[in-house]
Amino acid sequence: MPPAEHFAAPPGWEWWILGYFFFGGLSGGSYAIGTLLRLVGTAADQRAARIAFIASFLTLLPCPLFLIADLGQPLRFINMLFDASNGGFAFKPWSPMSLGSWALLGFGLFSFVSFVGAVAESGWHAGDPIARILRGTVGAVWNVIGTAFGLFVCAYTGVLLAVSNQPVWSDGWPLGGLFLASSLTGAAALLLLVARSRRDVDAGTAVRLELADRNFAILEAVLIAVFLVTVAIAGTIGKMSGVWLLLWLVVVVGLVAPFMVSRLDGARRWAPVTAPLLALLSVLALRALVIFSAQT
Amino acid sequence: MTNHWRDIKHADVILINGANPAEAHPVGFQWFVKAKLDPTKGPGQGGGAKIIHADPRYTRTSALADRYLRIRTGTDVAYFGGLINYVLENKLYHEEYVKNYTNASFVVKDAFDFKDGLFTGYNAQTRSYDISSWAYEQTAPPPPPGGAVEGPPTSSSGFAKRDMTLQDPKSVFQLMKKHYSRYTPQMVSSITGIPVDQFIEVAKIVGEMGRPDKVMTIVYAVGLTHHTTGGQLIRSGALLQLLLGNMGRPGGGMNAERGHANIQGNTDHAISWEILPGYLRIPAPGQRTLDQYVDQSAAKKSDPNSWNFFGTNYRNFMVSLLKGWYGAAATKDNEFAFNFLPKPATNSSWMSIFDQALKGKMEGVILSGMTATSIGPDVNQVMKALANLKWLVVMDPLPTTSSEFWRAPGVDPASIQTEVFMLPTTHWIEKDGSFVNSGRWMQWKEQVIPPEEGKARHDHWIMAELFDRVKTLYRQNGGKFPDAINAMTLDWYKDPKKPELDEIAKEINGKDLATGKQMASFALLKSDGTTTAGDWIYTGSYTEDGNLSKRRNGVQDIAKNDPTGMGFFPQWAWSWPLNRRVMYNRASADLDGKPWDPKRPGIQWNGSAWTGDVPDYPATMNPKDPAAWLPFIMNGEGVGRLFSSSMLDGPFPEHYEPMEAPIPNPLHPNQSEDPVAFLYDQAAGRPNRFGKVDKYPYVATSYRLTEHEHYVTQHVPLLVGLQPQAFVEVPEELAKEKGIANGDRVRVWSERGKIEVAAAVTKRLGPIKLAGSDKPVYHIGIPIHWGFVGVSADQNPEKSKFWLANALTPFVGDVGARTPEFKAFLVNIEKID
Amino acid sequence: MAAFQERPMGFFTDTSICIGCKACEVACKEWNQLEGNKPELLLDSFDNTGQLDAQNWRHVEFIEQIPDNNGVVMTPTPIAGGQAWLMMSDVCKHCQNASCLEVCPTNAIVRTEYDSVLIQQDVCNGCRDCISACPYGVIGFNEKTGTAHKCTLCYDRLQNGMQPACAKACPTESIKFGYLDDLQKVADQRVAALQTAGYKKAELYGRDATVYGGLNAFFLLMDKPAVYKLPNTQNAVLPSRNNFAGYAGGFVTAVVGLVAGVLAFRSQRMNEKSDAAR
Ligand SMILES: Nc1nc2c(c(=O)[nH]1)N[C@H]1C(S)=C(S)[C@@H](COP(=O)(O)OP(=O)(O)OC[C@H]3O[C@@H](n4cnc5c(=O)[nH]c(N)nc54)[C@H](O)[C@@H]3O)O[C@H]1N2
Ligand SMILES: Nc1nc2c(c(=O)[nH]1)N[C@H]1C(S)=C(S)[C@@H](COP(=O)(O)OP(=O)(O)OC[C@H]3O[C@@H](n4cnc5c(=O)[nH]c(N)nc54)[C@H](O)[C@@H]3O)O[C@H]1N2
Ligand code: SF4
Ligand code: SF4
Ligand code: SF4
Ligand code: SF4
Ligand code: SF4
Ligand SMILES: [Mo]
């Protein structure tokens, strides 16, 4: 099969977008992990769950700002939701950017409420009615739907790139899944980081987070492979080699670090935050790699 | 043009030499495309006209051509000569036409000969010919074609001997055959570099155009004129067209694509020094009386049936001109003030002016709409010349390298003594007036944008004011020969200081002083001082019906406005002469007046009158009448001249190498260059500065790009964006040799100067292999459009120091028009690192 | 002047009679008041414009394919006139299935009554998704206006019964403007004529539905589309082709990921239970 011919011009999506993809991923991933801890975790895991929801909302905060900053007409960000020419909604399910805008809005709501709930629970407001509701079945349902939104936000950014005519991006339909997987890896690493730096997180939780992190890493590794295969078939893989190999290195190191910690004695002696930090870097590097290599 | 732009769509073959219409005349090029797309045109079965482009460079015209011939610059005489030879040898010429419509049958004096590259009568000291032997044997009038009786009365001293069998060895036909027999395909190839097989293939196509039902047009421009052999280059094409019987026919002719939108008008109104308006000769020293002048200037009948219209009316035209200029002061008794006219003893062509300045013989110069220091040749020398002046006036809407020459890169203003005055004029977009296009159409244009009040003034107003002040000075202080100034009539203008262009157009047409009515035709001009004509060829353009150049009855109603369907559109504007669209159109019909090709009639005899285009012939003269005029009414012969004594460098075009050539002339190595080309430096006692091939191994030619108009558009940002900076085109093979990559900066230098520009490495220029030589000839292409003023020069002050193409070109001109050899000179090239 | 009928209109650009004069480029800039990018010497043959973008809504490509030869360029050999030096005035194709219109989240890109594809400047918010989508690299982002720009098919002129500026300026009628069905007839005749004349490579691009359901601005090419930087029929694909696979991939990954997470957190519980049993 002859290589794909691409004559599209680069959209000039750069640092703001990278920032959004990174934090958006962490936010969605954290929310999902928060939900998991809440629904299948032990009582000891609940503190971590609350941290996850709080982290989710805090990492979500910069996202709309980054997106608006990237617009040529920032004040018209609202046109993403409302059609300025006919006053109705601007909702195009087949346009990832349109769908994503709505998803982000929805997730914002869930993330915010869960955040409030988490804050309320933690200590001084324990008896608070909201907190109580959110700890019950209603809360569970709320978390599940929120997770759906959160994971969608993680994934659609990849689909957004794929739904174009850019080299690499449009050649790699697995980007959605890949970004989702690496969002989970990143989120797990982020929570580990917090857990490690705080006494009050249960040691067992931390261990389980480590395990989850490694599972996600494996999933991510698989998707990277699938992605590379599709791009290779399209014949545009060359765009991601050269200087980009350095970023690939960062990606790989971040992926294997958690395993080294658990296997190699040497690595055990690393500062406890090293592996999660490397994992986060890896998440950032992967997105930078995909975003920039295609546009140069 | 003998024909006109729209007419090109009638051609079966379009032979383009020394022109790049797609780039230099993009709008006119639409007619080439129309011919190409018309299935009824073309050689053989048709299927579209064939465009044949001969050019050293593969240009945007070549890109659309059906045949492209890469020809060595300056060798088109050999190319045309080869075609002429092919046509003669294979009897492909239009026999009936050649016999009756050309001077093939005329018998030339015994003394005439051509040997070793020289015609008889050459004088090496004066570098000129005594042309007495370039003439016809005189006889009593023979019976004209069709066994006619007495021709009309004639002032001629005797008629030329004719041999209608064309067998007389001294007949023009036989002489021509002999002359061009040397131009074999092999020889053509060894001169031009066109491979023999390609030449033959093209010759076949061209030869077919000798059939009456086929027609070819030859299109040329300054790729032919910018040579020391310019005149002959063009004549060689005309010869070919006469042989093929394509002169005077729609879709045929010899068509010069002119330069500036109104350069045709300029030429008609005597922009060049050796003529008066309407191509009347400038009086020569010694011509004391009008009689002498007319006798020495007007052509003589050399055949009883030749009308010799120009010659016969010469006096009428001249007197009407004088009467128009000097009005009451021009009387029978003072020979209509003939003595007011200057009788220049020295050549005053473009180069001569700056040559004089160099010699310190000029006080001041007024440059109006002309950028001496960009257009060259040899601009470094031209700048020296300007620095030699007391004062320089530049009339221009924009700064030019001339108005700024005193601060050119590397020049210390303090070292320039010349006082420079800038008179801001309006640009032609800011005035109305007429453009006369290549097809001789005088078309009125409206003012597009009004000039900013007080920021600029119309040229003609500046001139009028200037004239008025000079006149006043003469009145007050007297001075040498005031009459010519004082007698000048200004009574055509409401405000003599602000003449309207429409008033001037009216004046140019002229009027009948008896009736006060505008003249309807130059045929009515008289020599008794009762008529005026500022330029006789324009008489008829502004009649009692008004300014005909304003007429606009065109394609909005084709049926009505183009009755013949031949695209003459007689009600659209006005073309000289007398609104005739195809010149010499009598030759478009056979002896009986039937069109050679009924599908493409020019004019035809309907039994009582000539119909079609405005006939180049008396409207009701029966062609079968024994006394009927010969077809070419303007010249003395009454027929087209295959042999002509009016060219100073030979009656037959001969190939001569450019002054700077890569090889000696294969035809006659000992007479390589044109023997009469004018060598200014030598004549002025300066050393000739011609480069030799050992020091300058590469051939250069200079030219235009679509994106720019000379130096003007350097002030137009959008166009600067399209071609931002100076560059030269370098053949890929040569670039490899020299280690030059696309975009590298290179230095190109000649014996005169250098340029430093970017290199465009391309296969559009290629090595040219001359038959019998294995060493390829490389051309380097040099676009002319840059200098040290304009948008990109300002943006790149360092880079643009050496952007003037004409720093390279030789200060030499052809013998007739003294046109510089811009198109062929030797250079060397190196990468700047 | 009366406006045109509300029927599909567009361009038939016949590259075989383009003389690369760039009048179209300039006319477009003049009419649309684009000042152009900063002059830059590209020397890409005679092209110094470079590409279509916010400042260049028409762009004349120059493609030199002059083979090694001793000056021989004859027709109709493989390097026939019209094949040795290709010139093509590129422009927005006003695709029937327009990638840009498909992805635009704000509905700024619309289809007009003339069936052309238009970016409403007062709606566009400069997200540049259309740029990433256009397979022809037509759209450019204007820093000054903060919006995306491209050929409007001279919407303003059409509404006043005037043909587009570029078509009007084109001296050789290489750019033909009109109602689509008329243009298609002309194009079919022209390509047939070239084929019989021996120009075997001559083809129509976008005249039928094989690329993006048909292009309202379609071309006669003298060589393969890729030579002109145009995707061929296999490669002329819409962004939305990746929607399903993209989301499906995301969904599967989400499920697997959640399971992986559950396993991770559950596992410990098991251990705890067994501890308790001891
Ligand atoms: N875009 C644009 N158009 C213009 C002008 C402009 O400045 N810009 N200027 C106008 C003016 S004033 C004029 S005079 C005309 C000139 O119109 P052209 O004469 O068509 O223009 P040039 O580019 O000077 O030369 C034409 C071609 O002659 C070729 N050539 C050079 N030497 C020879 C030779 O010996 N034999 C043959 N066969 N070809 C040769 C050159 O390679 C070039 O391609 O253009 C007019 N039109
Ligand atoms: N090496 C080389 N040299 C060449 C040539 C070549 O092919 N090669 N070509 C030669 C030829 S054919 C020509 S015609 C010349 C061109 O030489 P020029 O005619 O000197 O070139 P332009 O730049 O057209 O100069 C016209 C000037 O007139 C000004 N102008 C425009 N309208 C008006 C007006 O209404 N009134 C006044 N007063 N000024 C006005 C413009 O601003 C511009 O400065 O170059 C010649 N030089
Ligand atoms: S510039 Fe004017 S004269 Fe020259 S081609 Fe264009 S329209 Fe004709
Ligand atoms: S060419 Fe590009 S910009 Fe034009 S309509 Fe098609 S997709 Fe949209
Ligand atoms: S940049 Fe404007 S036109 Fe393009 S997709 Fe975004 S909103 Fe639509
Ligand atoms: S149609 Fe109008 S906007 Fe589009 S390229 Fe032509 S001139 Fe420019
Ligand atoms: S105006 Fe016409 S001929 Fe000139 S470049 Fe544009 S398309 Fe080609
Ligand atoms: Mo000229």
Side-chain angles (χ1 to χ4, degrees), chain C residues 75-91:
Chain C
T75 50
T77 64
I79 49 159
Q83 294 184 22
W85 193 11
L86 306 177
M87 293 156 209
M88 181 260 215
S89 180
D90 199 6
V91 69

Side-chain angles (χ1 to χ4, degrees), chain C residues 18-24 60 89 170-172 174-175:
Chain C
C18 174
I19 54 173
C21 70
K22 305 180 190 173
C24 46
V60 184
S89 180
C170 177
T172 63
S174 171
I175 301 177

Side-chain angles (χ1 to χ4, degrees), chain C residues 91-95 97-101 109 117 133-139 150 215:
Chain C
V91 69
C92 169
K93 318 297 180 292
H94 297 279
C95 314
N97 307 328
S99 308
C100 59
L101 190 152
I109 306 187
V117 176
C134 173
Y136 297 104
V138 163
I139 306 178
K150 72 169 188 75
L215 307 178

Side-chain angles (χ1 to χ4, degrees), chain B residues 766-785:
Chain B
I768 292 185
K769 294 206 174 50
L770 307 177
S773 118
D774 40 24
K775 193 163 154 298
V777 175
Y778 285 115
H779 284 65
I780 292 174
I782 305 179
I784 61 175
H785 299 293

Side-chain angles (χ1 to χ4, degrees), chain B residues 176-187:
Chain B
M176 187 177 184
K177 243 180 137 157
K178 175 158 164 262
H179 189 85
Y180 289 104
S181 60
R182 299 167 298 137
Y183 291 77
T184 61
Q186 194 60 29
M187 177 57 77

Side-chain angles (χ1 to χ4, degrees), chain B residues 22 26 30 37 58-60 63-68 70 198 201 707 718 722-724 729 742 759 762-764, chain C residues 18-20 22 25-26 29 40 43 46 48 64 66 68 71-75 81-82 84-85 87 171 190:
Chain B
Q30 68 184 288
L37 297 182
Y58 190 85
T59 73
R60 281 177 264 205
L64 265 69
D66 300 273
R67 294 287 184 281
Y68 165 71
R70 181 163 281 144
Q198 286 181 45
E201 178 173 3
E707 293 85 344
L718 279 186
L722 300 180
Q723 289 288 6
E729 297 183 278
N742 194 43
T762 176
K763 281 208 183 89
R764 288 179 292 101
Chain C
C18 174
I19 54 173
K22 305 180 190 173
E25 275 190 29
V26 177
K29 290 196 178 74
E40 195 189 346
L43 282 180
F46 274 0
N48 294 294
E64 292 190 20
I66 298 172
D68 292 303
V72 192
V73 181
M74 307 279 274
T75 50
W85 193 11
M87 293 156 209
R190 177 61 181 150

